[in-house]
Amino acid sequence: MTKSVEYFFSIGSPWAYIGFDAFAELAAKNDVVITPYLTTVVEENGGIFSRNRPEIRRAYWTRDLKRWARVRGKDLRLEHRPDLSDPTPASLFVIAAYLDGQDWIGVSRALQHAFWSEAEDIGKPDVREAIVTSAGFDGAALLRRQADDDVQNKWSADRVHARDSGVFGFPTYVYDGEIYWGQDNLSFLERHLHGDKP
């Protein structure tokens, strides 16, 4: 029987990038339909941007990211990154692809890889258009779609839904009313999918 998981993430989250392929594989293996919700850290629920954390915690965060990147087989460029603009607008490409029934997972993967492995400035419209085009998608069409009302409305609604669902950080997976925060909780999500609800 098909199961449905709500997936809350941000293109600008390195943790979402690290766990993205593992989650996609888990979903395919377990006949899961993914409903994506894109937003930024939900501060009103206790989420904290990494830039606002104490330096000692940021240092640990960096080490932990590197550990998990190796486990997941991801190249993660954290040091010597150029000054990049806010990657958040890239979310609109993913939303447009999802609403149009396209491969939003592929679009997300291309943008995340470009930002986190290549340090490309996906906050710039022409850069993200080129990235998704080179990945085999219609970048020009996605660029045009990002300003459309349905895309903008979903972007706004996703944040409200995240807030009301108790989401504070990324990635977060919600299945059968249970929240799993962090890609390191994917094994618990999979157990739940197999009937082991906490």
Side-chain angles (χ1 to χ4, degrees):
M1 184 178 71
T2 300
K3 305 173 182 72
S4 180
V5 172
E6 293 185 323
Y7 175 48
F8 299 85
F9 73 112
S10 167
I11 295 294
S13 165
W15 291 112
Y17 170 55
I18 288 172
F20 191 79
D21 289 335
F23 175 51
E25 290 167 11
L26 181 155
K29 183 174 73 174
N30 291 281
D31 196 25
V32 167
V33 172
I34 305 171
T35 303
Y37 296 93
L38 290 101
T39 186
T40 57
V41 172
V42 187
E43 292 180 287
E44 54 265 57
N45 284 351
I48 303 171
F49 284 97
S50 62
R51 62 179 177 268
N52 295 331
R53 293 175 180 151
E55 185 55 39
I56 195 166
R57 186 172 173 189
R58 281 178 52 80
Y60 181 83
W61 177 82
T62 299
R63 295 299 303 157
D64 209 29
L65 279 168
K66 290 178 178 179
R67 293 186 193 109
W68 273 106
R70 291 184 68 178
V71 167
R72 299 293 190 199
K74 296 280 190 174
D75 292 323
L76 190 63
R77 183 175 169 187
L78 294 175
E79 283 92 14
H80 311 296
R81 289 173 66 85
D83 289 332
L84 303 176
S85 55
D86 182 4
T88 301
S91 302
L92 301 174
F93 271 35
V94 178
I95 290 172
Y98 171 73
L99 291 176
D100 293 346
Q102 298 180 37
D103 179 15
W104 66 268
I105 289 177
V107 172
S108 299
R109 183 178 288 121
L111 291 168
Q112 287 178 319
H113 175 80
F115 188 71
W116 287 111
S117 290
E118 307 295 336
E120 294 190 50
D121 198 349
I122 62 173
K124 294 181 177 178
D126 58 327
V127 173
R128 61 179 176 270
E129 177 185 358
I131 289 165
V132 298
T133 297
S134 67
F137 302 99
D138 189 342
L142 291 173
L143 182 63
R144 288 192 300 270
R145 283 281 283 128
Q146 68 180 8
D148 290 346
D149 287 347
D150 60 338
V151 174
Q152 293 290 327
N153 289 341
K154 177 167 169 51
W155 170 248
S156 298
D158 282 4
R159 178 166 187 79
V160 172
H161 185 54
R163 181 199 66 202
D164 293 348
S165 298
V167 172
F168 47 87
F170 307 114
T172 294
Y173 320 93
V174 179
Y175 174 64
D176 191 25
E178 192 73 24
I179 294 176
Y180 297 91
W181 170 48
Q183 59 87 37
D184 54 334
N185 272 278
L186 282 171
S187 59
F188 293 122
L189 171 61
E190 187 163 33
R191 289 174 66 92
H192 189 171
L193 290 167
H194 287 258
D196 183 15
K197 183 176 181 178

